[in-house]
Amino acid sequence: MIAKISSGKDTAGLIRYLYGPGRANEHTDPHLVASWDGFAPDPGRSNDFNAARKLLVADLDLRLHQAKRLGRAPKQHVWHCSLRASPEDRPLSDGEWATIARRVVAATGIAPEGDPDGCRWVAVRHAEDHIHIAATKVRGDLRTARHWNDYLTADKELAAIEKDYGLHQVVRGDRTAAKRPTRAEQEKARRTGHQRAARERLRSTVRTAVSVATSPEEFLDILTRTDSVQVDIQYFPSGDIRGYKVALDGDTNAAGAPVWYSGSKLAPDLSFPKIRERLTDLDTPPTTAPEARRRPNPWHQATAAAERIPQRLAQADDAAAQAHIAAFGEALDVLPILAPKELRPQLQQAAITFERATRSRIRAQQDQARALRSAIRVLRTTPVTGDGSGLAMFLDVALLVVTAAAHWHQLRQHDQQVAAARQALLHLRTAYEQAAAGPLAALAQRQPPARTIERHAKQIRTVVPDYAEEVLEDPAWAGLATVLTEAETAGHDPERLLQHVARQRTLDDAHSAAQVLTWRILRLSQRQAPSARARAAQTRSTMRSVPSPAEVSPARTVQGGPAPRGPRR
């Protein structure tokens, strides 16, 4: 059940609307279900509709007129609250709606329970699934009602009502969500042939610009060079940038002027001060210098940075964790402009959906995620090319990150963020399956001889015995055998690589243990292989750290550390 609360200054106009036909003749059988004293006139059940309506307005405004004579009447004296049940809910009786209305006006301070001076109010029902509460804000003692934070108090009471009546429990937010487009904006988008309102399209455009910019100045420069977007930059008298606002070409008001949106009106984290905080002092290495050719693969760097996020979320620093979730949201924002065309729809939906999960009441400590943001910026000059394995391995880690983010929000009761992360996970999983199909098939075509495959199978049974049969029966096993063979050719020890991968990342939450091992070994094997002296030192260190048989737990283990079972993502 949800509430919508507004204020006004025309009691008669509101009552006229509530008892009228509605904007689309949707009002059927409007009638009173409750009132401040239980005896208010009901135009919907009166033989003289107009007379009863005038009498009802006069009764509601009685204290208002008294307060006016004393000069104490509020300018916006009408309080209007609509309560709507969820489509899944059973029909509620008039008596149930009456009780719900009384609980809401009491919780919000309009008419506290047991207060004889509470405001005058009525609850009108003209549809099966909702009611409207109309009240005047002047109390019996002629003071203005104390109804601060009425939306939050009403929402809290509605959550209790849902439990008491066995109704659908609505996913509630923390007032950090971006503003939704109004009905007028949605209708305007439909008239102009767009699926999304101008506000939503501009929000995506600005977020993409933030995700690729390396400084506040570059962010504004990218915006001004974006097709179909108008940008107005505001300055302080000193010449420093104060803020910005954007508009879409062709999106005009009745007077023909552009409809402007400031960054803060698009989303709380898109104001210029917030963007400047995120983009200040980013350490982004140049990619055009000659030595850039010797740098590690940018997709591998970004994957390594993202792979550390679940560990960050498991720590006690909530501000740093929130910063890493927000930075990962920027990574999702940039993916659609880098990925192949066929993957863009799912990646765009993932970015749009996960956007809600990037904000909460916890203030992000932005400098904690600087390394991740810097790695993301390098990707802007590295579109997906070749076999696409870089994107596939990043999306494989993205599934892990979004799962961890959903769990982190769930522990803090961030219901809307949990729902957003879970929805984004569906889009990412679809995108991953499409992105991984080609690279995995290419690896399978290069699979080594049968004797080599059997040797690697033995290594799998030794290092990850509890996952061995699952890995060996997976269609991705052929690709994993290929990367193990190619790593060995490059001078790496396949068994040691497997041990390293298994220690750093549990396989319990993996959609495919074989694919997780494939991508991580593919990335690690591209590092320089250790020298013979280094390998000998590693062997001595491993032998000293191997436990005796009596020390090994009977639980599921991975050689080198325990691997407790958890939910699969």
Side-chain angles (χ1 to χ4, degrees):
M1 188 172 289
I2 60 174
K4 184 178 181 181
I5 299 175
S6 60
S7 296
K9 54 183 179 181
D10 185 3
T11 308
L14 177 57
I15 296 300
R16 188 182 308 113
Y17 166 73
L18 295 182
Y19 279 95
R23 294 187 176 91
N25 295 317
E26 73 274 21
H27 295 179
T28 59
D29 187 27
H31 60 280
L32 217 64
V33 295
S35 66
W36 72 95
D37 61 358
F39 298 102
D42 183 4
R45 294 292 184 266
S46 174
N47 294 328
D48 190 340
F49 174 80
N50 290 328
R53 188 185 65 192
K54 291 179 181 178
L55 183 58
L56 178 59
V57 172
D59 286 350
L60 286 171
D61 281 348
L62 176 63
R63 293 168 175 173
L64 172 68
H65 295 314
Q66 295 172 344
K68 281 183 177 180
R69 287 195 289 269
L70 299 177
R72 295 163 59 179
K75 292 181 180 180
Q76 298 278 326
H77 68 269
V78 176
W79 188 82
H80 177 205
C81 174
S82 63
L83 303 175
R84 184 177 298 275
S86 296
E88 303 91 341
D89 289 337
R90 61 178 175 81
L92 299 173
S93 67
D94 282 358
E96 289 174 317
W97 275 121
T99 302
I100 291 171
R102 293 188 187 97
R103 290 178 62 167
V104 170
V105 294
T108 55
I110 293 297
E113 186 176 0
D115 184 355
D117 289 327
C119 298
R120 294 192 167 196
W121 60 274
V122 293
V124 179
R125 182 179 188 180
H126 53 218
E128 188 177 70
D129 63 347
H130 71 280
I131 62 171
H132 291 261
I133 303 174
T136 46
K137 299 180 185 179
V138 181
R139 291 168 41 84
D141 53 15
L142 303 187
R143 293 185 292 118
T144 301
R146 300 170 64 89
H147 62 96
W148 293 295
N149 289 325
D150 49 9
Y151 176 80
L152 293 180
T153 53
D155 198 53
K156 183 178 180 180
E157 185 64 25
L158 291 179
I161 288 171
E162 290 167 355
K163 294 180 180 179
D164 294 343
Y165 284 79
L167 304 177
H168 172 72
Q169 296 185 24
V170 174
V171 175
R172 289 180 158 79
D174 53 8
R175 305 188 77 179
T176 61
K179 185 177 179 180
R180 295 180 180 178
T182 64
R183 177 181 295 181
E185 291 173 346
Q186 292 173 334
E187 292 176 351
K188 186 177 183 181
R190 285 193 290 267
R191 288 196 306 270
T192 56
H194 295 95
Q195 293 183 343
R196 302 169 65 207
R199 183 192 301 271
E200 296 173 306
R201 286 182 283 154
L202 285 169
R203 183 184 303 141
S204 295
T205 299
V206 173
R207 287 183 64 85
T208 300
V210 173
S211 69
V212 298
T214 59
S215 68
E217 294 75 20
E218 186 181 17
F219 158 71
L220 293 173
D221 181 61
I222 292 172
L223 270 188
T224 57
R225 292 187 285 107
T226 301
D227 294 338
S228 304
V229 175
Q230 302 179 48
V231 182
D232 181 16
I233 303 174
Q234 293 94 41
Y235 297 89
F236 288 111
S238 62
D240 295 331
I241 298 174
R242 179 168 62 91
Y244 72 98
K245 56 184 180 180
V246 290
L248 285 177
D249 288 345
D251 183 31
T252 58
N253 56 24
V259 179
W260 294 98
Y261 298 89
S262 64
S264 59
K265 293 296 183 183
L266 296 177
D269 57 342
L270 293 183
S271 67
F272 188 73
K274 293 287 183 67
I275 291 174
R276 181 170 51 202
E277 179 184 3
R278 289 152 65 184
L279 297 183
T280 299
D281 298 329
L282 277 177
D283 182 20
T284 305
T287 57
T288 56
E291 61 270 19
R293 291 190 296 270
R294 297 191 296 271
R295 293 185 180 276
N297 186 313
W299 283 99
H300 293 188
Q301 289 181 302
T303 300
E307 198 171 36
R308 290 190 285 270
I309 294 178
Q311 297 175 354
R312 301 283 188 181
L313 301 188
Q315 296 172 1
D317 191 344
D318 280 2
Q322 180 64 63
H324 279 86
I325 293 175
F328 184 74
E330 294 177 15
L332 296 186
D333 289 330
V334 77
L335 287 184
I337 64 177
L338 302 175
K341 185 177 181 179
E342 63 273 13
L343 298 180
R344 290 174 188 172
Q346 290 295 338
L347 292 176
Q348 287 172 343
Q349 284 302 313
I352 291 170
T353 306
F354 191 75
E355 182 260 348
R356 179 65 190 98
T358 61
R359 289 187 306 276
S360 72
R361 284 289 181 184
I362 299 172
R363 181 175 175 80
Q365 188 177 347
Q366 302 292 2
D367 60 338
Q368 291 294 318
R370 187 175 299 163
L372 175 60
R373 286 195 165 94
S374 297
I376 293 168
R377 266 60 183 183
V378 178
L379 291 179
R380 66 181 185 163
T381 57
T382 316
V384 178
T385 57
D387 63 357
S389 60
L391 175 62
M393 72 172 61
F394 183 86
L395 290 177
D396 174 68
V397 169
L399 295 174
L400 177 69
V401 174
V402 175
T403 301
H407 180 67
W408 186 84
H409 281 304
Q410 187 173 30
L411 291 177
R412 288 150 187 82
Q413 299 182 335
H414 299 164
D415 295 340
Q416 286 190 353
Q417 289 88 336
V418 172
R422 289 175 176 171
Q423 186 63 35
L425 193 63
L426 299 178
H427 295 294
L428 282 174
R429 184 172 290 116
T430 300
Y432 167 77
E433 291 171 355
Q434 294 175 339
L440 289 174
L443 288 172
Q445 290 178 354
R446 304 199 306 268
Q447 62 179 311
R451 292 181 62 181
T452 304
I453 293 178
E454 182 56 37
R455 180 162 51 83
H456 291 321
K458 183 178 179 181
Q459 294 167 343
I460 292 290
R461 292 188 178 97
T462 300
V463 178
V464 285
D466 292 325
Y467 305 91
E469 297 310 313
E470 177 183 339
V471 170
L472 298 178
E473 294 175 3
D474 195 305
W477 162 237
L480 175 56
T482 299
V483 297
L484 287 170
T485 301
E486 294 178 350
E488 188 174 34
T489 302
H492 293 277
D493 182 345
E495 187 167 335
R496 191 172 299 280
L497 282 178
L498 283 169
Q499 291 171 349
H500 182 68
V501 170
R503 281 195 300 266
Q504 286 204 345
R505 175 176 174 181
T506 177
L507 299 176
D508 291 320
D509 59 354
H511 58 97
S512 165
Q515 292 181 30
V516 168
L517 293 172
T518 298
W519 300 128
R520 185 160 180 85
I521 289 174
L522 179 62
R523 177 161 55 86
L524 294 179
S525 66
Q526 294 192 16
R527 300 177 181 177
Q528 184 175 359
S531 64
R533 179 179 297 179
R535 287 198 299 271
Q538 290 173 352
T539 300
R540 290 193 298 271
S541 176
T542 301
M543 292 179 65
R544 286 194 298 268
S545 63
V546 171
S548 66
E551 297 173 321
V552 178
S553 170
R556 289 176 61 90
T557 58
V558 177
Q559 184 172 334
R565 270 288 184 187
R568 282 180 177 262
R569 56 176 170 81

